[in-house]
Amino acid sequence: LGGQGRRQSFSSLAWRTDTAAALKRLVRGVSASKYGNHVIGYMPTAGDTEEMSKGLDSGVCTQKRFRGWLFERYGKNGKEVERLFGKKIEEISIPSPAERSKADCGNFLDPQKSRLVIDLREFHSIEIVDSGLAFCKAVKEASDGRLITGTFYGYTQLWPDTGHQALRRLLESKDIDFVTTAGGGGASENDSIIKAGKIVYSEIDTKTSLVQWISKLRPDIDPQGKYNEERWFGPPTIAISMQNLKSTFARSFVKGSANWWFDLWGGWYDNEAILKMFGQMRIAAEESIRHPRGSVSQVAVFLDETAFRYLPYGVSDRNKNNKFLWIRMQVGAVGSIGAPNDFYLFEDLKDLDLSRYRMLVFVNAFALSESQRSMIRNRCMNDNRLLVWMYAPGLIKDNLSADNISSLLGMNVQMEKTHPKAQIAVKFSGEKKIYNYEGEEVSPFFHVVEGADAAVGRTAEGQVVVAEKAGPNCRNLFVSMPPLPWTLLQKYAQQAGVHIYVESGGTVIANESYLALALSSSNTGKRTLRLPKKAAL
C-alpha cells in the first residue's frame, strides 16, 4: 500500500500457510548443510517488535475469519448467533474502535450487552497463538520432531490489547517446547509454563550504564532519533548496572528459567567486569542442574487471562490511562513481603497441588463460572488457608452484578458508580495502630455493607473496603480498593502461617537449594535473613 511494506495479518491463512511452507524449506536446508548438527531448534515469531503481538486487524481476512469463528463457536447454529447478536452471521462485522473501547459498567463489559466485543478479544488472541503454533509445527515436521521449538508469548499483564490472552492454549500444544518473554523471568506466568512441562526462555534486555542511543550507534536504523528517549538509558554506573544484572539473573536462575542477554543494539555489556560476571553466572547455572530446585513457596498468585476479555480495548493496555495498572502494582506488592511466591494462570487451579500453599492471592478473578466457583470451594477453601480477593472477584457470571461477589465471599457487597483515589485507614483487632495506604481509583466501586467478621479498612466516608470473613476451613480477605501494600500483606501472610524470610521486606526468590534477595537501588542496606530450618548457607 503506497509502496510501503506492511506487517502481516494473523488472520490471513494464505500468509500462515506460505510462511509455514517457507519455514519448512529453511529448516530442511539448514539441517542438510554443514551447520545442521549445530542447530538444536528454532524460535519462529512475527508481529509488532517480533513478539507475537499486534493491535486488532479489521481487514477483509479478519472479518471473514471472525464470522467463521463465531459460527463454529456457537455450534454452527445461525439462530443462536442471531439471538445473541441481533444479526445474521453474514451481517456481523468487527466492532468499530468506538464500540471496542466503550464500557457498559464502569470499566467492564457486560456479557449481556457486549458479547461481540468479548468474543472478539478471545478470537484476537487465538489467531495470534494459532499462527505461532502453525510455525512451530512446521519446524517439528521438517525436522521429524528432532528440533525444539517455541515462540514469544505471555505478556498477559503488559499487552492485553495485542492478543496476549491465550497462553493456556499455547501451553497445551505438543509442538511448543519453550516460551519466551522479555524481562528476565519476572514478566509472565513462569510457574504455569514450567508446570506445563515447557522451558521458560527469557530475553533479558536489562539496560546498563553503557547504553547509548541507537541513532548515534546506528544512524541507518534510527535516522530520525525516534528512540532518543531517557527510558532507553540505564543506571549511571557500572556498579549499579552489575547489581541490576545480578538481580535479573537471580530470578531466572532460582526459578529454573533459561535466558539470553539481549544486547539490543550493541555495546550494552562491553565491560570486562560484566563479562567476567556473566562467566561466573554460567558456572553457577551449570552447577545448579545437579541440585534439587523444587519450589518452597507458601504463597501462590493467580492471574486470570480470560478476565481481560471483559475489559474494553484501551482500558488496561500499556498506556497512561491504564485503569488496571494496580494489577501489576499488586503483584509487585505480593512479591515484596519478604517471602517467595509462585505465579500461575487461574486455569492451573484445576490440577495444581495446593498442599504447600498457606495463602492464595487472586488478583483479577473478575469472571467466574459456576463450575469455577465450585472448584474454588472444593480445592481452595480448605486447610485453613487465607484467600485474598482483589477488587471485584466473581463480578461476572452470566450477568454482571455485585450479588455475584456477595455469593462468592459470603458478605453483602454493594456496588456504586465510582470512587477516586483515596486514603484507606486499616485497623486490626487488638491493635491501636492505624495503617494507611492509597487505594487506586476504581469504577465501579464496591464496599461491604454487612456480613464481614472484621471490617478492617475504611474510606474517609466510613465505607468498608478491606474485610475478612471466616469460612468453615478457610478465611477470605476482600480488598475492593487495591493495591494493598506489602506491609499489610505480610501481616496477613504471617497470620496464615507463611514463613517470612525478611521481615523488613524485599523480593525473596527461593527453591530447595538456592535463595536470592533482590532489593531496589532505593531500598538497600543490611537485612536479617531468617531461614525456615537449619541449613548451610
Side-chain angles (χ1 to χ4, degrees), residues 300-407:
V301 182
F302 295 93
L303 183 82
D304 186 4
E305 61 180 354
T306 65
F308 287 98
R309 299 172 190 164
Y310 294 88
L311 310 181
Y313 278 86
V315 78
S316 62
D317 210 24
R318 189 170 57 177
N319 58 57
K320 294 180 180 179
N321 298 316
N322 189 333
K323 304 299 185 184
F324 289 86
L325 183 61
W326 61 261
I327 291 177
R328 275 182 264 163
M329 296 164 65
Q330 190 65 78
V331 171
V334 177
S336 300
I337 67 172
N341 70 80
D342 294 335
F343 191 34
Y344 296 101
L345 290 172
F346 181 84
E347 283 296 310
D348 286 309
L349 264 178
K350 62 187 177 185
D351 58 359
L352 180 65
D353 180 4
L354 297 174
S355 59
R356 186 177 67 254
Y357 300 113
R358 306 306 313 142
M359 180 166 128
L360 309 180
V361 182
F362 299 91
V363 290
N364 71 330
F366 307 145
L368 297 175
S369 65
E370 193 54 53
S371 62
Q372 288 174 321
R373 288 163 178 261
S374 177
M375 176 183 67
I376 289 167
R377 287 191 294 268
N378 295 332
R379 304 209 72 240
C380 305
M381 292 182 171
N382 51 35
D383 202 22
N384 295 315
R385 286 192 192 89
L386 174 67
L387 278 63
V388 184
W389 302 95
M390 296 299 170
Y391 182 43
L395 171 67
I396 301 167
K397 198 160 49 170
D398 296 326
N399 62 343
L400 188 155
S401 171
D403 292 341
N404 295 334
I405 302 176
S406 300
S407 62

Side-chain angles (χ1 to χ4, degrees), residues 164-178:
H164 277 246
Q165 299 171 32
L167 177 59
R168 170 58 52 206
R169 187 179 183 89
L170 191 80
L171 295 179
E172 289 173 350
S173 171
K174 67 181 187 305
D175 295 320
I176 291 289
D177 300 301
F178 62 87

Side-chain angles (χ1 to χ4, degrees), residues 381-382 384-385 409-410 453 468-477:
M381 292 182 171
N382 51 35
N384 295 315
R385 286 192 192 89
L409 302 180
D453 295 336
E468 302 173 25
K469 176 75 172 184
N473 296 295
C474 71
R475 192 162 190 82
N476 289 301
L477 172 65

Side-chain angles (χ1 to χ4, degrees), residues 223-287:
Q224 305 301 322
K226 178 182 176 182
Y227 289 91
N228 289 1
E229 301 174 7
E230 287 190 11
R231 68 188 180 95
W232 287 106
F233 282 131
T237 67
I238 290 291
I240 297 176
S241 299
M242 291 178 67
Q243 290 297 330
N244 291 348
L245 293 171
K246 283 199 291 185
S247 175
T248 305
F249 171 74
R251 296 173 187 273
S252 293
F253 172 65
V254 180
K255 278 293 187 180
S257 305
N259 67 268
W260 82 89
W261 301 99
F262 191 15
D263 191 0
L264 192 54
W265 48 68
W268 288 23
Y269 310 120
D270 290 354
N271 175 271
E272 186 176 344
I274 290 176
L275 295 177
K276 181 180 178 181
M277 184 175 70
F278 283 172
Q280 294 169 328
M281 289 174 176
R282 176 180 174 179
I283 292 170
E286 289 178 348
E287 288 177 347

